Amino acid sequence: MIDISNPENNEPTQDNLILRIFQWLLVLFLIYLLITAVGMIGAGFKGATKGQATDLFAFATNPFMGLIVGVIATAMIQSSSTVTSIIVGLVAGGLSVEMAVPMIMGANIGTTITNTIVSFGHINKKKEFRRAFAAATVHDFFNLMAVVIFLPIEILFHPLQKAAGYFATHLVGGENLSVKGLNFIKPITKPVIAEFKNLANMISEQGANILLVVFGIIVIFFVIIFVGRLLKKLMVGRAKDIMHGSIGRGPVSGIVSGAVVTVMVQSSSTTTSLMVPLAGSGVFKLKQIYPFTLGANIGTTITALLAATAISGDHAVLALQIALVHLIYNLSAVLLIYGVKNLRKLPIEGAQWLSNVAADRKIIALIYMVGVFFVLPGLLVFTYQLTM
Amino acid sequence: MENEDFSSLSKKKLKKLIRETQEVLNQLKSELKLRKQEKRHKEIDHMEEHFEDAAHNLSNLKSFIQKVFSEMRKDK
């Protein structure tokens, strides 16, 4: 395959143009598959639970359990876009928005594992590792802080759910409850969902709905991987231009650039991982990397919004509501934590402290990663199961 | 410079000297800023490689774990 991301290959030759058109058509097809897969999860989950989805997720009535599910699931598959798309599908299938909100918050934390692992690549040079690890963990500290602030408020007053609900009802049409202007989605996804349903029925009539959910999850998983790879090839030039343009400008420009690059590559972990070597080399300071990372949090919410367009019918409002929760939550977290000077510096201080400790004793970095993303959440789930 | 005696200079000369020094200082700061920005632009030019590195994060994890354990063995 010709690497069209290479500027030398960027001559507008006919071959390159054809290849580029083909790759963009492939991106469109993959987005179509993503939307279809979310519809499959919604339909399958609805059929499997027969309207009792909340009972199936009874363990997640405790918001901390929902949070942990989001953290572990995202950390394991290293993609918040996949997890949030699945959550949108589950909400469309009957999972309550209230239960889904902590899961979305958990996905935000879980996704930070990727850039932490990327920073491990700098282990051979102590100073470089210290800077790279700080650039990775500043995202962790920020997202942990956001949960500490917003989750209790959400449990008590549901401001995110209410705000997202308000916007969702205004964006979704009246009688047939499908997203305004996007009524064409259902007709184009329905035949494929029906085909998968038939296939699931052929494999097992009793477990057809569960199989449909599993098919949906598998399709989302692979679509996110392939679309990410393809967009990286197609968008690397544009992403570079945006990054070049943000140099020497303020933090707001950094946040906007981080968000735009993330929308382009459809992956926050790609954007945040990209920041790690930039910081590791010492050319970019932690303070300059930080706003890009926050922009990535905002940009990644596009995937769930896109996934929500798949849903029509009774649950269209709810699917859009949970996708908007993701957006409003990340916007609010940036506004509050980055907007308030005293709060803004806490993730930087936390990351610098941890990276200093980890640079001296590397085992600390490993303990931190396994502890925060797996052991602690696992222990909490285990304790919860014992006490219930 | 710090041992220089400025007491013989007139107030006017002192002010002129300060102004000139300030100008040089500003120029030096701009030059430094420009060089830092150039370095950043150069680093961004390597974005394809960084994308590539980010894609191999599991091999990073493997080598990191190996390094941690070899360091631990050395410490013993």
Side-chain angles (χ1 to χ4, degrees):
Chain A
M1 191 183 266
I2 302 164
D3 181 11
I4 62 161
S5 63
N6 186 340
E8 282 150 17
N9 286 340
N10 253 350
E11 295 297 316
T13 64
Q14 203 177 359
D15 282 355
N16 274 357
L17 189 70
I18 291 168
L19 180 65
R20 195 172 271 259
I21 291 170
F22 172 73
Q23 285 176 319
W24 274 115
L25 287 174
L26 200 56
V27 168
L28 286 178
F29 175 68
L30 288 169
I31 291 172
Y32 163 74
L33 274 186
L34 171 82
I35 293 170
T36 308
V38 173
M40 278 158 62
I41 293 175
F45 194 59
K46 200 174 184 178
T49 57
K50 293 182 177 66
Q52 305 300 313
T54 303
D55 292 347
L56 191 72
F57 275 81
F59 67 92
T61 45
N62 181 330
F64 296 104
M65 285 301 110
L67 179 80
I68 288 160
V69 167
V71 174
I72 296 180
T74 314
M76 281 175 78
I77 57 177
Q78 288 192 43
S79 167
S80 63
S81 304
T82 305
V83 173
T84 51
S85 301
I86 293 170
I87 293 170
V88 169
L90 293 178
V91 168
L95 177 72
S96 77
V97 173
E98 196 177 345
M99 281 184 182
V101 173
M103 292 181 192
I104 288 277
M105 291 180 174
N108 246 29
I109 295 177
T111 194
T112 62
I113 194 172
T114 310
N115 61 354
T116 305
I117 297 174
V118 169
S119 74
F120 289 169
H122 298 263
I123 190 169
N124 290 323
K125 291 172 185 164
K126 191 176 173 179
K127 273 187 182 172
E128 200 177 302
F129 173 70
R130 183 189 293 137
R131 292 190 292 251
F133 193 62
T137 50
V138 74
H139 194 206
D140 306 14
F141 279 101
F142 179 87
N143 284 344
L144 282 168
M145 256 182 87
V147 167
V148 169
I149 295 169
F150 284 91
L151 185 59
I153 297 173
E154 186 60 22
I155 292 168
L156 291 172
F157 309 109
H158 313 295
L160 296 172
Q161 202 182 321
K162 283 178 189 167
Y166 172 80
F167 288 115
T169 44
H170 280 79
L171 284 166
V172 170
E175 286 173 6
N176 66 353
L177 290 174
S178 52
V179 180
K180 267 182 190 168
L182 292 165
N183 296 352
F184 62 89
I185 296 287
K186 194 174 181 180
I188 59 168
T189 56
K190 207 177 171 183
V192 179
I193 296 175
E195 283 305 317
F196 270 100
K197 216 171 190 172
N198 288 340
L199 180 68
N201 260 319
M202 271 162 53
I203 297 169
S204 160
E205 268 184 41
Q206 284 176 324
N209 286 311
I210 299 286
L211 273 175
L212 197 58
V213 174
V214 173
F215 284 155
I217 291 172
I218 293 170
V219 171
I220 290 177
F221 183 75
F222 285 107
V223 162
I224 297 282
I225 290 175
F226 288 124
V227 91
R229 279 184 194 169
L230 213 49
L231 285 172
K232 262 186 240 173
K233 269 187 197 296
L234 287 163
M235 292 306 224
V236 70
R238 288 273 163 83
K240 262 185 189 179
D241 292 343
I242 289 169
M243 297 283 291
H244 279 306
S246 69
I247 288 177
R249 296 186 182 183
V252 176
S253 165
I255 293 173
V256 174
S257 304
V260 175
V261 171
T262 306
V263 170
M264 282 177 169
V265 296
Q266 286 278 308
S267 164
S268 61
S269 32
T270 301
T271 310
T272 55
S273 299
L274 206 57
M275 298 301 132
V276 170
L278 297 182
S281 65
V283 174
F284 283 81
K285 298 264 176 289
L286 183 58
K287 234 172 104 179
Q288 291 158 334
I289 293 294
Y290 185 29
F292 281 98
T293 319
L294 306 188
N297 272 2
I298 297 168
T300 195
T301 61
I302 190 82
T303 316
L305 285 167
L306 209 57
T309 61
I311 312 300
S312 56
D314 301 348
H315 290 114
V317 175
L318 303 174
L320 186 61
Q321 187 181 0
I322 193 64
L324 285 170
V325 162
H326 195 203
L327 173 66
I328 298 169
Y329 168 58
N330 280 315
L331 277 174
S332 315
V334 170
L335 281 174
L336 179 73
I337 301 174
Y338 199 77
V340 178
K341 201 179 170 187
N342 286 336
L343 291 177
R344 185 191 310 158
K345 61 185 182 185
L346 293 180
I348 290 186
E349 286 172 357
Q352 278 172 334
W353 169 80
L354 185 64
S355 61
N356 282 334
V357 175
D360 288 332
R361 298 197 66 187
K362 310 265 178 337
I363 186 79
I364 300 285
L366 197 61
I367 292 171
Y368 162 79
M369 188 196 76
V370 178
V372 167
F373 295 103
F374 300 105
V375 177
L376 190 64
L379 276 176
L380 287 171
V381 171
F382 185 67
T383 315
Y384 177 76
Q385 295 294 342
L386 281 182
T387 52
M388 289 309 287
Chain B
M1 187 84 176
E2 56 194 49
N3 294 330
E4 251 179 76
D5 183 17
F6 297 112
S7 56
S8 59
L9 293 177
S10 70
K11 210 173 167 183
K12 199 178 167 187
K13 272 199 169 176
L14 261 178
K15 278 186 179 174
K16 192 176 174 245
L17 201 59
I18 289 171
R19 215 171 34 245
E20 283 168 0
T21 312
Q22 193 68 52
E23 254 172 51
V24 174
L25 194 64
N26 287 342
Q27 282 171 2
L28 288 173
K29 277 182 181 172
S30 305
E31 180 60 28
L32 191 66
K33 197 177 166 187
L34 205 70
R35 285 188 197 183
K36 279 183 181 173
Q37 288 188 358
E38 270 171 18
K39 262 184 141 183
R40 284 181 200 135
H41 284 297
K42 275 184 187 164
E43 198 64 43
I44 286 172
D45 283 334
H46 293 119
M47 205 181 236
E48 287 94 342
E49 292 154 42
H50 298 322
F51 267 139
E52 205 54 42
D53 291 343
H56 298 113
N57 59 33
L58 286 179
S59 59
N60 285 346
L61 184 61
K62 198 180 155 196
S63 6
F64 183 79
I65 293 171
Q66 282 169 347
K67 178 94 177 175
V68 166
F69 284 111
S70 74
E71 274 188 11
M72 280 170 72
R73 274 195 294 272
K74 265 186 209 167
D75 288 345
K76 278 181 186 175

